Every structure is written in C-alpha cells, then in structure tokens.
Amino acid sequence: MKKLFKRNYTPIPDEERVEIIRKSAIQVSRGVFYSTIIIIVSFLPVFMLTGQEGKLFHPLAYTKTFILLVDAFLVVTLAPVIISFFMRGRFAASNSPVNNWLERAYERIIAACIRWRKTTLAVNLLALAISVPLLFSVGTEFMPPLDEQSILFMPVTLPDISNDEVKRILQVQNKVIKSVPEVDKVLGKAGRASTATDNAPVSMIETIILLKPRSEWREGITKRDIIAELDNKLQIPGVVNGWTQPIINRINMLATGIRTDVGVKVYGQNLDTLYTLSKRVEEQLRSVKGVQDLYVDPITGGKYLTIDYRREALSRYGISVDELNLVVESAIGGASIGQTIEGRRRFSIGIRLGQDFRNSLDQLRRIPVRTPSLGTVPLSSVADIRFEDGPPMITSENAMLRGAVLFNVRDRDLGSTVEEAMRVLRNGMIMPSGYYVEWSGQYENLIRSKQTLQMILPVVLVVIFISLYLAFNSIREAFFSLITVPFALIGGAYIIYFSNVHLSVAVAVGFIALFGIAVETGIVMVIYLNDAMRQLISQKGNSADTITTEDLRQFVIAGAARRLRPKLMTVCVALFGLIPVLWSSGVGSDVMKPIVLPMIGGVLTSSTHILLVTPLIFLMTKEYELRKFKKLEVYETKH
C-alpha cells in the first residue's frame, strides 16, 4: 500500500527542546500581549454605554475582558510549562497532505494576486466603496425588538368614561382576544393598580396576553400576524388600540415617561393651547409611513363637579360657608366617623352617599342642608351644581406643562420613521412663541447611544493605532494592521444589508468585537512577514545590490504561507462558534443575531484581506524601500 506521507522522527535533547519552547513562547507572547490590549481597548465604547443598553451589554464586555486577561496570562505562563511536559521524546515533522494542499493552493492564489496587483487592489477598494452606501441605506433602531413571548394590549378610551362602561369594554375585549387560537391566557385591568406610584386613569386599559408555545400555533403564522388579527377584531368606536410588550413598556415608562415606542412631547404654559397643538401634530403624523397606534395623550375631556355657592341665599337661610362645605364634603368626599382596630392595625371609618347618588346631578341637588330656623332645604336652593370639562390629568416637566402625541413604529425602522416625522412637522407646523416639541421614547435612547459611540469610537481607533505603533515601533507597520478594520466592515455591511437587519446598538457591539478580531489577525500576519524579511536579510544581506524583486516576492509569499494552518484555524474557530447562533431560537435570539451577523461577515472579508491583500501591500512598500533607500527597513516587535 502506498504511503500518503512520510514521518521523519528526530530525537531532540532536553536542553534544546526547552530552549525551542522558550523562544516559541516569547514569539507568541508578542502578538498575544498587544492583541489582548487592542481587543480590550476596542471594547471601551461598550463600557461607555449608559442606560438600558449599558445594563444589557456591560456583562458581555466585562466577561470578554476578564477572559482575555486570564487567557493572555495562561498563554505566556502555564502553556509553555504544559508543553514542556507533554512534548518529549521523538518529534515527527508531519507532511500532512491536507496542509500541503492548502499551502500550495494559497501560494498560487497569492502569487496571482501579486501578479495582478492593480486588479486585486481595485476589487478590494470597489467592494469597500459599495459597502459604505449599503451601510447608510440600512434602517436604524435603538435595540432589536426582544420577543417576550407575550403581548401587552394598551387601548385608550375617552377620559370621561364611566366605571361600568370601561368594565363592559374590558370584558368584550378579553372575550375577543381569547377567541384567537394562539392565545393562552388573558388578564386585563382598567385604571391604576393598587399602588401609589401608578397614576393611570380609568380610561387606560392594560391587558396582558400570554401566548401558547409556537408548536401549537397555526401553520405559517407569526406574532406580527397575531397582533394584526387582534387589532382588526378589536376596532371599537371611541377606543384607540395600542400594542407593545410588558417588559419594554415598563422600561420605556420608567426611563422616558412614554408608554409607546416614540412620543412627541409638546411643552407650553396653557393646557388648551397644548391640546390644540397636539391635535395638529397628530394630523401631521398620520401621513408618515410606519406610524401606528397614533393618539394624543388626553389633556381635556375630564369631567369636574362644580358647586357654586349663592351667598345671598346662604345669608337668607343663615348658613355659613364652612357649614355648607362640611355638608358637601361629607356627602360626596366622605367624612371620618371613627376608627376600627384589628390587632395592631387601625382603619378609619368613613361615610358618604352611595355611588348611584353621587353620579346623579338630580340626587346631588336634593342633598338636605340644615338651616338654623327653617328646617332643611335642598342643596340646589343655595348652590348651582353642574359638570364642567377640564384636564383629566395635568402633566408637567421642567416646570412647564406638557402634552404628548404617542405612537408605535411597525413595518419600518425607527430611525427613518422619526426623521421623516420630524421633517413633516418642520415643514407643516409653526410653533407659537413659548411652545416647543421634544422627541422622546426609544428615539431618545437611540440618539443618546449614537452620540456616545460617535464620541468614543475615534478615540478608540487612535488608542489602537498608538498600541500598534508601540508594538512595531513603526507608523507603516501599525497602518498595515489597522487597515484591516475598514475591510472588515465590508463583510459586516453586506451581511447586514442582505439579512434585512437594522443598525442598532447590538449591531454596533458586533462591529466593535469584529474590529478587535481583525486587528489581532493583522498583527500576526505582519509579524510573520517581518520574520520573512529578517530571514531574507540574513541570507542575502540588506542591500539593493544583493536583493532582487523576485527575492522579495518569494520571501513575502513564504512569510504569508507560514503558519497558514493556525491562521485558518483561528478563523474557523471564530466562525464555528458564531454560526450556530444564526439557527438559535427562543428568548434572546432576537438580540444575539444582530451581534453575530457583522462578526461572521467581517471575519470572512477581513481574513481574506489579511491573507491576500496585506502581503501585497507589504511587498509594494518593501519594493519602494529598496528603490528609494537601497535597503530594507525591518522592525522588530517589542516584547
């Protein structure tokens, strides 16, 4: 049987073996140290995130940082010791056919790239130029929507709705919602919860809808389809539907005071003017594509019971204002008549008219009022009683009254929807003096995180460049490693565009992680290319008289092909660890996929650039040095 490859076993003395391991560890430690620093520095923007995005991604940044620190420490301390224990006896110089085939194929490809250098550079630059408009054409959002496996239905009715009517509407809505096959449980409430921190009016309904497992859903139906079906079935006159999810709704309300995706806050000094302006804003936004569940936060429409005393009648009957106040307070508001004690707890006992009497103006007008000498007279004989319209709830921020126009965004990205809405308002409305609008909700978080990243990313790139300069002691070599960053952007931009994923903080975190990986691989390539130049100088001297262009080409190809297997293994390990996320499902996968997608695409394009283009640019610079300076400049990496 013919042997595929032959092994040559060579015994090595212990002293020489330990020395080889020591030198190898020193060589590896150079790239490991600076690569670790660069990856940690590249994650500084993640540490600078605040608010919701900071709480979500800080654990990721801390975990990766501590893993890298421990890994770098073990590589330069524990790994050489373990290698010295296990690498003993005879060593075989393996000529694996797979490895040999990969190296021969790679050498042919890189030789072709060097031969067609202008075409190679033009293709790379063209791909980079195309990726920039692709990236800017992608929509933007704050965070990818996390599927909470449930739905929060938040309809709003008229402010003056009665308790009986809102109960009836709630029961009808729950019955309709439960008729959808994918709905498991429904729980709704109207008004505020039993807590002092909930200021929800009776007109606000909150219904939590728990869905069945996806295996029990109808064929081909999605959560978006379920919401659309429910919205069509729940079209009730006088009710404005709103759809969101329980957790994100609470986060939005606590962080921004807005219970929808986006809110337009209108500030001013007069409630009636605020309501008029809010209605005009609502009319302008109806034409914007992607705006759903649009409604004005009620500023007017509340009902107030007004009792105006007729002082002439009070004087005629001999009744003082304080006495009449006491009667009205006791009948409508309630008066305390004592306490009850249950163990260590005390409860006040109040008494007032029944609800049916308090809800009727005729009954209120008949409230008896005792006079000093004329017996009792009805309240209507000494006061005028009527209902008046007024604000159901007064909201203020920054010492100014505030109205709000609220809406959700569906079937379109958040960023472009709000930008178009802002453009529509600028062109269609002129705010009076002393009144202005402010955009809030998820868009407020998007702008904050965007400003943070724009501020810190240039600083991070500068710090990375300084670290590379300290590693190579050369601006040119640092540039070779840093240039992989924009070319890593190519794959990330293409895969984001064709996957129909919007730019968000999660995607930005994926690109940040990608930049560190790309620079790390570039450092390794530049180190091996410099080692090849040192070998060339040791063999032929450092002079243009002894070194030819063909010598440069051969040694650059040899230096690039050196350690090809570890380079490919590094790329494959990164891909094999990331690709399974694309097939993940369940809670959290909605956020993980936007992080992983740019990393997968970027690793592919950056590794291609490093293996093919970086040696080409390195060769061109060395040819320039040989022509201009008549010698080669080789930089030793510090360690």
Side-chain angles (χ1 to χ4, degrees), residues 87 98 106 174 261 335 400 424 458 495 499 504 533 543 555 571 617:
M87 296 188 67
V98 176
Y106 174 61
N174 289 351
D261 293 341
M400 296 187 71
V424 168
I495 198 169
S499 299
S504 62
M533 292 299 99
S543 173
F555 274 83
V571 174
I617 299 176

Side-chain angles (χ1 to χ4, degrees), residues 192-210:
R192 71 181 186 90
S194 299
T195 171
T197 59
D198 189 354
N199 60 353
V202 177
S203 59
M204 182 192 296
I205 299 174
E206 295 182 1
T207 301
I208 296 178
I209 305 170
L210 300 181

Side-chain angles (χ1 to χ4, degrees), residues 16-173:
E16 184 179 353
R17 178 178 62 85
V18 173
E19 182 63 20
I20 293 174
I21 293 174
R22 187 186 68 83
K23 291 181 178 180
S24 300
I26 292 175
Q27 184 182 24
V28 171
S29 67
R30 297 179 297 175
V32 169
F33 176 76
Y34 287 104
S35 298
T36 302
I37 291 178
I38 289 168
I39 294 178
I40 293 174
V41 170
S42 69
F43 261 79
L44 283 180
V46 182
F47 289 108
M48 296 295 291
L49 294 175
T50 59
Q52 177 185 345
E53 64 274 21
K55 293 182 182 296
L56 184 61
F57 291 113
H58 281 171
L60 170 66
Y62 280 113
T63 302
K64 188 176 182 68
T65 298
F66 286 122
I67 288 175
L68 287 172
L69 291 174
V70 174
D71 176 67
F73 176 76
L74 295 179
V75 165
V76 298
T77 56
L78 182 61
V81 176
I82 295 177
I83 292 173
S84 66
F85 282 129
F86 287 97
M87 296 188 67
R88 294 175 178 273
R90 295 175 177 267
F91 293 90
S94 175
N95 295 316
S96 170
V98 176
N99 189 55
N100 292 338
W101 180 86
L102 288 175
E103 288 186 358
R104 286 195 301 269
Y106 174 61
E107 288 176 356
R108 293 193 188 99
I109 294 173
I110 195 173
C113 291
I114 292 174
R115 189 181 313 114
W116 301 93
R117 58 181 64 185
K118 292 183 180 180
T119 304
T120 302
L121 295 177
V123 169
N124 275 265
L125 293 176
L126 180 63
L128 180 61
I130 294 175
S131 66
V132 174
L134 283 182
L135 198 60
F136 281 104
S137 66
V138 175
T140 57
E141 61 186 1
F142 171 57
M143 290 288 292
L146 176 66
D147 185 7
E148 300 176 17
Q149 310 292 315
S150 59
I151 301 172
L152 179 61
F153 178 45
M154 293 189 66
V156 177
T157 63
L158 299 176
D160 58 351
I161 190 171
S162 65
N163 288 341
D164 292 337
E165 180 63 14
V166 77
K167 289 178 183 177
R168 186 192 68 81
I169 293 176
L170 186 59
Q171 291 172 353
V172 171
Q173 289 175 342

Side-chain angles (χ1 to χ4, degrees), residues 499-519:
S499 299
N500 198 25
V501 174
H502 297 152
L503 288 177
S504 62
V505 177
V507 174
V509 171
F511 274 113
I512 290 170
L514 168 65
F515 293 161
I517 296 174
V519 173

Side-chain angles (χ1 to χ4, degrees), residues 594-606:
I595 299 177
V596 167
L597 282 173
M599 296 179 66
I600 292 176
V603 165
L604 291 174
T605 55
S606 66

Side-chain angles (χ1 to χ4, degrees), residues 69 89 109 119 171 201 258 276 386 415 420 442 520 553 604:
L69 291 174
I109 294 173
T119 304
Q171 291 172 353
I258 299 298
T276 303
R386 65 186 181 277
E420 182 181 348
Q442 291 286 323
E520 176 189 18
R553 191 184 70 84
L604 291 174

